[in-house]
Amino acid sequence: MTKRSPPPAKKLNAAELMDWIEDIEQRAMKAVADVQDADGLASQTAVFLGRGGELNRALERLVDLAKPERAEAGRRANQVKAKLESEYGRRREEMRAGMMQAQLQQEALDVTLPGRPLVRGRIHPANQTLRQIIRIWAEMGFQVYRSREVETDELNFGLLNMPPHHPARDMWDTFYTTNPQVLLRTHTSPGQIHAMRQRAPQPIRVVLPGMCYRYEQVTARSEIQFNQVEGLAVGRRITFADLKGTLTAFARRLFGAQVATRFRAAHFPFTEPSAEMDVECFVCGGVGCPVCKGTGWLEVLGSGMVHPTVLNNGGYDPALFSGYAFGMGPERLTMLKHRIEDIRYFWKNDLRFLEQF
Ligand code: FA5
């Protein structure tokens, strides 16, 4: 690296100053040719062309000369300065281009390389069934009606024909908030009241999907949290034959055109008469197997004609209107479809289970 030459101590004459300027030019040109990198170039620029650099110090000594010599030496010094500035600038540009070239090569992007595959997420198996159920009902003219998961005691029980202390409440025990009148709904049936009160006296055909909660023992078949899909049709002259026909049509769309159904008498306080629908066991074809516990039938849903008291609570005159309702559990249906033995898999978040669907 070229060092600054010490400032001449004595006054300079014209020849000495010209020699100094020529010497600066030579050394500066050699230095700029020798530098290897941008830092080296910057420090050599400071040595020769900087404010306190050698060329400026030589220019300061012009005062030592008489006027005509001073003009000539000044011209020469400025020529050298212009030449050095241009050469140093050229080298700077050369280095910048070289660096950019190196960087481009280093960071080269091969767009022809195949990308890394992303792990594809899936719809949760319970939601797959939920969507399938909703699609089938939509095809049959039923709208989706969403209602709340936090309900009042009155809607979850009272208006569904289960006044306080009604024994049927035991079947649907739930989680209460600090306000005993506010609870997590145990079924989607309170949505029936919401839908009726909003639509009365218009006819209704809706399905009400959503999460339900129950305070009960968790077992292979029962969770404290699960989905239900409720259905409700209200209008004039709706009969039990409509209920049977529509639910059978639904079962055929979900389980296959050949599936047989049967209705067993049941009891729900909010429907009268009430029935549970079974489908012929699609594992054994009705012969009897462990999945259907040897009966040849699988229970799929609860249903019935809307109780006159409930119609009335919803704002419909039971003398003029009738309707049917039903409720099913997508997790239990998914269990049947895929022969899943334990409902607890659904909310365990175990990818080994979820990735199978
Ligand atoms: C009811 O909840 C009634 N509200 C259904 C109904 C609606 C009847 C309208 C008549 C008219 P049930 O308690 O049987 O009924 O529940 C209905 C479905 O929800 C069951 O068939 C089952 O698929 C699902 N289910 C009930 N409890 C659980 C549970 N603990 N874990 C998972 N699924 C459940």
Side-chain angles (χ1 to χ4, degrees):
M1 195 76 49
T2 309
K3 297 265 171 10
R4 288 167 203 258
S5 60
K10 61 180 180 62
K11 263 189 163 193
L12 296 177
N13 62 34
E16 284 169 334
L17 185 57
M18 285 299 253
D19 280 353
W20 189 18
I21 292 168
E22 301 305 329
D23 184 48
I24 291 172
E25 180 184 6
Q26 273 184 18
R27 282 184 293 114
M29 287 302 283
K30 181 165 183 328
V32 76
D34 288 349
V35 289
Q36 300 292 332
D37 52 31
D39 283 349
L41 184 64
S43 73
Q44 290 308 302
T45 309
V47 166
F48 292 107
L49 293 168
R51 194 128 53 97
E54 222 178 311
L55 199 59
N56 271 343
R57 278 186 294 116
L59 282 166
E60 281 164 15
R61 302 315 296 262
L62 287 173
V63 291
D64 294 354
L65 308 185
K67 255 195 176 163
E69 294 167 330
R70 191 186 298 170
E72 198 191 335
R75 216 171 12 255
R76 180 70 190 121
N78 280 327
Q79 271 174 2
V80 169
K81 189 173 183 186
K83 179 176 173 185
L84 292 183
E85 275 173 354
S86 137
E87 188 58 16
Y88 275 69
R90 191 188 64 74
R91 280 289 274 152
R92 217 175 356 260
E93 188 49 37
E94 196 174 88
M95 281 182 183
R96 202 189 56 77
M99 262 161 56
M100 187 186 283
Q101 196 56 34
Q103 198 177 5
L104 282 174
Q105 269 169 13
Q106 204 178 26
E107 296 173 7
L109 184 69
D110 183 352
V111 290
T112 64
L113 275 179
R116 290 192 199 97
L118 290 175
V119 181
R120 283 186 76 187
R122 297 170 167 77
I123 308 282
H124 189 279
N127 283 337
Q128 288 183 26
T129 309
L130 193 65
R131 290 183 181 198
Q132 195 185 1
I133 294 170
I134 290 173
R135 201 162 43 238
I136 294 172
W137 284 110
E139 283 166 10
M140 298 207 283
F142 284 72
Q143 285 181 319
V144 171
Y145 187 96
R146 298 211 175 264
S147 59
R148 58 184 75 142
E149 290 176 25
V150 179
E151 270 297 0
T152 59
D153 181 278
E154 195 187 18
L155 273 135
N156 195 70
F157 295 119
L159 295 170
L160 292 172
N161 213 14
M162 286 180 276
H165 312 299
H166 191 290
R169 284 182 172 224
D170 290 350
M171 282 188 345
W172 289 296
D173 196 9
T174 186
F175 302 99
Y176 288 85
T177 63
T178 45
N179 176 347
Q181 293 309 310
V182 178
L183 46 81
L184 296 184
R185 68 175 176 190
T186 48
H187 48 178
T188 39
S189 300
Q192 289 187 30
I193 303 287
H194 289 295
M196 283 193 276
R197 287 189 167 178
Q198 197 182 21
R199 303 272 171 95
Q202 300 299 318
I204 298 181
R205 259 189 293 176
V206 290
V207 280
L208 307 100
M211 201 53 91
C212 303
Y213 306 84
R214 286 191 193 175
Y215 181 58
E216 62 183 22
Q217 182 76 42
V218 175
T219 66
R221 273 176 57 77
S222 299
E223 260 290 1
I224 56 169
Q225 176 182 348
F226 55 94
N227 284 290
Q228 274 193 352
V229 179
E230 185 96 2
L232 174 70
V234 179
R236 292 169 192 265
R237 290 183 294 281
I238 291 182
T239 68
F240 196 76
D242 295 315
L243 176 154
K244 286 181 76 176
T246 315
L247 288 176
T248 301
F250 164 76
R252 290 190 179 143
R253 289 183 190 218
L254 187 66
F255 296 110
Q258 306 309 321
V259 80
T261 53
R262 77 172 183 188
F263 289 81
R264 277 179 296 104
H267 171 73
F268 299 103
F270 32 91
T271 48
E272 180 60 35
S274 306
E276 279 174 338
M277 184 176 83
D278 298 341
V279 294
E280 196 175 54
C281 178
F282 38 77
V283 177
C284 64
V287 182
C289 72
V291 175
C292 61
K293 300 195 192 86
T295 63
W297 295 93
L298 298 166
E299 182 197 317
V300 246
L301 53 85
S303 64
M305 299 305 289
V306 182
H307 196 285
T309 305
V310 176
L311 276 176
N312 206 30
N313 290 339
Y316 289 85
D317 180 353
L320 301 174
F321 290 90
S322 56
Y324 60 82
F326 53 87
M328 63 189 88
E331 285 86 5
R332 291 252 181 96
L333 291 175
T334 313
M335 289 171 79
L336 292 178
K337 215 162 69 178
H338 298 292
R339 296 190 219 171
I340 298 164
E341 280 159 8
D342 199 318
I343 199 169
R344 284 168 285 204
Y345 286 124
F346 282 91
W347 310 120
K348 255 191 183 166
N349 276 343
D350 186 337
L351 287 180
R352 289 169 303 178
F353 170 74
L354 296 172
E355 280 173 356
Q356 294 177 48
F357 301 94

